[in-house]
Amino acid sequence: DTGVSQDPRHKITKRGQNVTFRCDPISEHNRLYWYRQTLGQGPEFLTYFQNEAQLEKSRLLSDRFSAERPKGSFSTLEIQRTEQGDSAMYLCASERGGDSYEQYFGPGTRLTVT
Amino acid sequence: AQRVTQPEKLLSVFKGAPVELKCNYSYSGSPELFWYVQYSRQRLQLLLRHISRESIKGFTADLNKGETSFHLKKPFAQEEDSAMYYCALIPGTYKYIFGTGTRLKVLA
């Protein structure tokens, strides 16, 4: 197991386009998180899955953002009608579950909206 | 509002000097608190969790509920400690709240 992977690593898109990112967590980890990180800030929580169930979603997330985790394995994060303000690093992390609170982060997907 | 504050964006210390990275939180319940670290060109990773009370790489952090603080300390800084450090809070659910981070530079 090579850890959490994310694809693509970089994405440049034009304003108004839709983009989709993928995260493959560590196998057997049943919690999965998405974060957004901009320059000079810490990771900002977007959403969280327990297996395939999306249990929490940030109120900061507009309706243009959606995430799925079918079958409780990999997850996708889609941003519709991208805006320049969406430019950021999008991080995925997974956790084993139970009372294990160690998040394993992926390398991130850097999104640039032109 | 639930919040994590790291007042220093950058902290520079000389090798061998003590280090204290400050973290204050805002949460009325019993918090779960963590320190995460990101070394250059590496992923963010857990350094320590308050409930474990372990010392990792010589770092310790004590939860002070009266001052709502969870400062990270190391008695003698090493050059390999240079990294970005983030304090994080779980306010009752699994929704992590991260601070803005402190960049630690250990000078030779």
Side-chain angles (χ1 to χ4, degrees):
Chain A
D1 197 334
T2 56
V4 178
S5 61
Q6 292 187 244
D7 185 68
R9 295 290 306 276
H10 303 275
K11 178 72 178 177
I12 300 173
T13 191
K14 292 186 176 179
R15 190 178 56 182
Q17 297 295 304
N18 298 345
V19 293
T20 300
F21 309 141
R22 178 181 170 121
C23 171
D24 286 89
I26 294 171
S27 56
E28 300 150 10
H29 279 195
N30 56 38
R31 291 201 287 257
L32 186 147
Y33 301 79
W34 284 98
Y35 295 91
R36 177 173 62 189
Q37 187 173 22
T38 53
L39 199 61
Q41 301 297 314
E44 177 188 16
F45 173 85
L46 292 178
T47 191
Y48 150 65
F49 290 86
Q50 175 88 24
N51 298 311
E52 66 275 9
Q54 187 175 21
L55 296 187
E56 191 144 359
K57 185 175 174 179
S58 169
R59 279 172 281 177
L60 299 172
L61 221 58
S62 74
D63 291 340
R64 296 185 297 107
F65 288 70
S66 62
E68 292 183 340
R69 194 184 180 196
K71 303 178 185 177
S73 55
F74 72 92
S75 176
T76 58
L77 176 70
E78 182 183 16
I79 309 174
Q80 295 182 326
R81 304 181 303 282
T82 53
E83 302 172 356
Q84 287 189 320
D86 298 330
S87 295
M89 177 74 86
Y90 289 83
L91 295 168
C92 175
S94 69
E95 253 178 10
R96 184 177 301 277
D99 62 359
S100 166
Y101 287 98
E102 180 169 3
Q103 292 190 93
Y104 290 80
F105 280 84
T109 294
R110 182 166 294 285
L111 174 66
T112 302
V113 182
T114 61
Chain B
Q2 298 145 358
R3 185 169 53 244
V4 173
T5 302
Q6 294 181 251
E8 304 138 329
K9 282 199 174 296
L10 173 65
L11 183 65
S12 296
V13 300
F14 284 102
K15 178 181 169 183
V19 173
E20 183 179 53
L21 300 171
K22 292 185 168 52
C23 172
N24 288 89
Y25 66 91
S26 173
Y27 176 56
S28 57
S30 291
E32 288 275 358
L33 285 155
F34 309 81
W35 277 98
Y36 276 78
V37 61
Q38 188 167 25
Y39 301 101
S40 179
R41 286 185 282 278
Q42 293 188 27
R43 304 176 185 197
L44 203 55
Q45 59 186 283
L46 179 66
L47 180 62
L48 56 79
R49 176 186 174 190
H50 89 272
I51 203 166
S52 66
R53 304 186 66 81
E54 290 179 314
S55 171
I56 307 293
K57 299 184 179 183
F59 284 97
T60 59
D62 290 318
L63 174 59
N64 185 323
K65 290 188 177 181
E67 296 182 359
T68 59
S69 68
F70 187 55
H71 302 328
L72 184 67
K73 299 177 184 179
K74 185 170 182 177
F76 307 104
Q78 299 174 336
E79 287 182 75
E80 54 265 33
D81 296 328
S82 294
M84 195 75 186
Y85 291 80
Y86 294 96
C87 182
L89 161 73
I90 300 182
T93 66
Y94 294 108
K95 176 184 172 180
Y96 282 76
I97 298 173
F98 282 81
T100 51
T102 298
R103 179 168 299 283
L104 175 64
K105 283 191 176 180
V106 181
L107 308 169

